[in-house]
Amino acid sequence: MSQLKLASRLDPIKPSITLAVTAKAAKLKAAGVDVISFGAGEPDFDTPSHIKEAVREALGRPEGGFGKYTDVGGILPLRKAIAAELGAVHKVALDPDQVLVSTGAKHSLYNLFMALLDPGDEVLIPAPYWVSYPDMVMLAEGRPVTLPTRADDDFAVTAAQVRAACTARTRAIVLNNPSNPTGAVYTRAQIEALAAVVLEKDLLVISDDIYRQLVYGDAAYVSIASINPEVGKRTILVDGVSKTYAMTGWRIGYTAGPLPLIKAMAKIQGQSTSNPTHVSQVATLAALTGPQACVAEMRQAFDERRVAMVKLLRAIPGVSCREPKGAFYAFPDVSAYVGKKSPDGKLLADDVQLCDWLVEAGKVAVVPGSGFGAPGFVRLSYACSMQNIEAGVGRLADALAQLS
Ligand SMILES: Cc1ncc(COP(=O)(O)O)c(C=O)c1O
């Protein structure tokens, strides 16, 4: 066979850098190397026991059926529960038919861009951004337009930036609040200013709220959809249970929005994956309708780790770190160390090379900011034990101190 030709639509697509860092750390660990990884974007807690118990109970029911297909968009009781919860949080009226359950919020977003974009349609993406947005937009043949934000502005995109970036092809803005990777949480005033420009420029908002329940200190989550009914109508809500309920591996996310869009997304899902895993839907129903104390307990633990990690990072000479107010990531500026040499004379010319060296020589895995559109920064997840935070940031400090 001559050389295998792959689809050219993949040409601009990069593999997910967070998955790559996590995989590299896991491989080293499997080879017996003691690596501390801050790479993974997932809680270290196990899925709460009442959620697992609900699945066990369902599987034990004599009528069975949990190994069967469901409606493409998810079982009705789950869509009802999602419509009720998101309707209350975002102050919008949602019918269960306006909800599509998918195989993780990543899948929700993929379906969404595929259903929404014509070739050349533009999507505004504030940077630093979650690694997958630009690539998903490109897979759908859209054009990602990144809007750089500054650490000094707490990484918030401004209404003026959005206004200036709009063209006749602009369809939507992605608002990830709280943000992965920065942990930034938008204030009410910032959300109101963005809501005004959304109406002025006739945009859709893709509101990725996967971390909305993980907000700390005096910060508060403000839903852009709740600002007024007109904005509510043009907001597409993307949410899920991965981060809030420590359910990353169950793979359930969901979208709520205008009925024609949800139907279009269901058409794509129906011709690709069909329904998300049936037992995972049962687990999600239990998560949303069961006791919520587990969420508060995990949030409290993340908050303590957040405070500890930021303090340790700020103590490293040359490193600065804004206070992350949500999600579970710290996003320090390590640009003072980019361009330095390792003790064996290797030039670490950018943050990717720096992170490669850190995992190999320093035995600590962090994700390079370049993957998030923010060269010179690194992302550390603090969804890990306090022991790992203390030892791992210690390793980071020791490794950086060796560079000259
Ligand atoms: C901002 C953001 N959106 C969406 C997702 C997708 O989450 P999942 O597919 O696990 O539901 C993630 C996961 O890392 C994320 O950080």
Side-chain angles (χ1 to χ4, degrees), residues 41 103-107 109 130 133 176 178-180 208 210-211 238-243 247-248 251-253 329 379:
T103 307
K106 202 175 219 176
H107 186 210
L109 286 158
W130 179 51
Y133 299 134
N176 176 212
S179 153
N180 173 8
D208 180 346
I210 193 112
Y211 296 101
V238 177
D239 212 324
V241 285
S242 286
K243 318 288 178 174
M247 289 177 66
T248 46
R251 308 306 303 128
I252 294 288
Y329 309 102
R379 191 194 77 174

Side-chain angles (χ1 to χ4, degrees), residues 212-272:
R212 77 179 152 80
Q213 299 211 56
L214 299 175
V215 172
Y216 315 103
D218 56 6
Y221 169 78
V222 179
S223 151
I224 192 163
S226 73
I227 295 296
N228 70 47
E230 275 312 303
V231 183
K233 270 188 227 156
R234 50 183 61 241
T235 303
I236 303 153
L237 303 166
V238 177
D239 212 324
V241 285
S242 286
K243 318 288 178 174
T244 313
Y245 297 95
M247 289 177 66
T248 46
W250 296 83
R251 308 306 303 128
I252 294 288
Y254 26 89
T255 317
L259 189 59
L261 174 68
I262 296 298
K263 278 188 173 168
M265 291 171 63
K267 189 153 74 172
I268 295 168
Q269 186 159 303
Q271 295 291 24
S272 50

